[in-house]
Amino acid sequence: MVEVEKALYAHVQSRYPYVTEAASHLLDAGGKRFRPLLVLLAAEAGPHPLAEEVLTAACVVEITHVGSLYHDDVMDEAALRRGADSANARWDNHVAILTGDFLFARSSELTAQLGPDAVRIQAETFSRLVEGQILETVPPGPGEDPLAHYLEVVAGKTGSLIATSARYGARFGGASAEVEEALTAYGEIVGSAFQLSDDILDIASDSAESGKTPGTDLREGVPTLPVLMARASSDPADARLHELLDADLSDDALHAEALGLLRAHPALDEARRYVVGRAAEAKALLSVLPEGPVRAALEAFADAVAVRSA
């Protein structure tokens, strides 16, 4: 990961200091580096985990992810990202959008070094990612299950790139086609579960524990897994909660009441069980790997996602 970090900064350099500053801004703000870490872990399933292509692929997925954050912040009109000013707040929307485009271009240049098949995979992944982002702005259609709609958003917006992270690691580490296929499916599930555990933390955690303001998504009316599960309840005792979920929760008193009701609602534990179940599905896919440190690390990776929300 130390090598990845150095390479990331090298790849976002521009001939122009202003562009370099803007492109480095969210890298400087930190982040979990979840995607490149998974590339490196998956590469350990093959005989060549230290291949140069593995490092390149790790940079591809993280630069793609960071580029998407610039666009996300414009769409969300966000003022902060990872505790720092968002690019749109520090500069403006035009700079933020174009910086995201610059990073997508850089990730494409790097992908081209990995060969035509990697270019195809990256294009398909990016298509799914953008579809997920668009779908997020559209409410479910008539007769469509809101929860199923939301899970489709999460699979596209988050799961797709994390699936490709695992695929790239396995492929460029030299793993077999069977292992690559299994780890791709593993990455898709773990990636979606990662986002869903964030949903739970938004309701369940306090700011001292998570570093985030509790109920931010709730206040902004963003549908999340516990909220959608609570909405699906037909228990008459939930009438007040349903009323609040349809209200303007920018009011501090109403927001605090809704957050309290959600924390006490069975939907929160239902959401936790769902995420733990998804992590178990992901771990079952690892049966293609022999027992040993690589499989144990990938199992621990899936468990860490589930435990975040427990």
Side-chain angles (χ1 to χ4, degrees):
M1 286 304 295
V2 171
E3 292 299 315
V4 169
E5 201 69 18
K6 290 178 185 174
L8 285 171
Y9 279 93
H11 291 313
V12 302
Q13 297 297 305
S14 165
R15 291 174 294 164
Y16 306 103
Y18 182 85
V19 177
T20 299
E21 181 187 2
S24 304
H25 179 64
L26 288 187
L27 285 178
D28 289 339
K32 303 176 186 72
R33 304 291 191 256
F34 187 88
R35 293 153 188 82
L37 177 59
L38 183 54
V39 173
L40 300 184
L41 274 177
E44 295 285 346
H48 310 298
L50 300 179
E52 189 64 30
E53 292 86 351
V54 172
L55 178 63
T56 300
C59 291
V60 164
V61 295
E62 185 65 9
I63 291 171
T64 301
H65 170 60
V66 173
S68 74
L69 299 182
Y70 282 81
H71 288 186
D72 270 357
D73 287 345
V74 172
M75 291 172 65
D76 297 341
E77 299 179 351
L80 292 174
R81 167 68 69 175
R82 296 170 174 169
D85 289 341
S86 62
N88 44 301
R90 178 166 177 175
W91 292 284
D92 58 33
N93 284 349
H94 293 94
V95 170
I97 291 168
L98 290 169
T99 302
D101 291 345
F102 173 77
L103 292 172
F104 292 144
R106 279 296 159 92
S107 70
S108 296
E109 289 176 26
L110 287 172
T111 306
Q113 297 176 19
L114 298 173
D117 208 38
V119 171
R120 175 188 59 78
I121 292 167
Q122 180 74 356
E124 291 172 351
T125 303
F126 195 53
S127 176
R128 284 192 64 203
L129 190 156
V130 174
E131 282 179 341
Q133 289 180 311
I134 294 171
L135 198 61
E136 187 177 36
T137 70
V138 180
E144 186 179 0
D145 178 6
L147 181 56
H149 175 90
Y150 178 66
L151 293 175
E152 192 67 28
V153 168
V154 169
K157 186 176 176 181
T158 305
S160 61
L161 187 57
I162 295 176
T164 294
S165 301
R167 179 186 290 277
Y168 278 163
R171 173 168 296 207
F172 296 114
S176 68
E178 180 190 21
V179 168
E180 180 184 329
E181 183 178 344
L183 290 188
T184 302
Y186 163 93
E188 175 99 16
I189 294 171
V190 167
S192 293
F194 185 77
Q195 175 59 55
L196 297 174
S197 67
D198 266 0
D199 289 359
I200 296 166
L201 290 171
D202 183 65
I203 301 299
S205 68
D206 58 48
S207 55
E209 176 189 349
S210 67
K212 301 176 182 179
T213 303
T216 298
D217 289 336
L218 180 65
R219 186 184 294 276
E220 294 173 356
V222 177
T224 59
L225 183 65
V227 168
L228 289 166
M229 287 179 165
R231 278 185 178 278
S233 168
S234 57
D235 188 335
D238 293 331
R240 176 56 180 167
L241 176 57
H242 290 174
E243 180 185 341
L244 287 167
L245 293 177
D246 290 329
D248 178 3
L249 295 180
S250 60
D251 178 277
D252 286 345
L254 294 179
H255 177 263
E257 184 183 358
L259 191 59
L261 288 173
L262 275 170
R263 284 173 169 172
H265 197 280
L268 194 59
D269 282 336
E270 184 184 357
R272 288 188 176 112
R273 287 193 298 273
Y274 181 83
V275 171
V276 169
R278 298 249 63 195
E281 286 178 47
K283 289 193 293 182
L285 291 164
L286 299 175
S287 61
V288 296
L289 299 175
E291 294 281 357
V294 175
R295 180 168 166 178
L298 288 164
E299 287 173 342
F301 196 72
D303 283 335
V305 168
V307 168
R308 289 171 76 235
S309 62

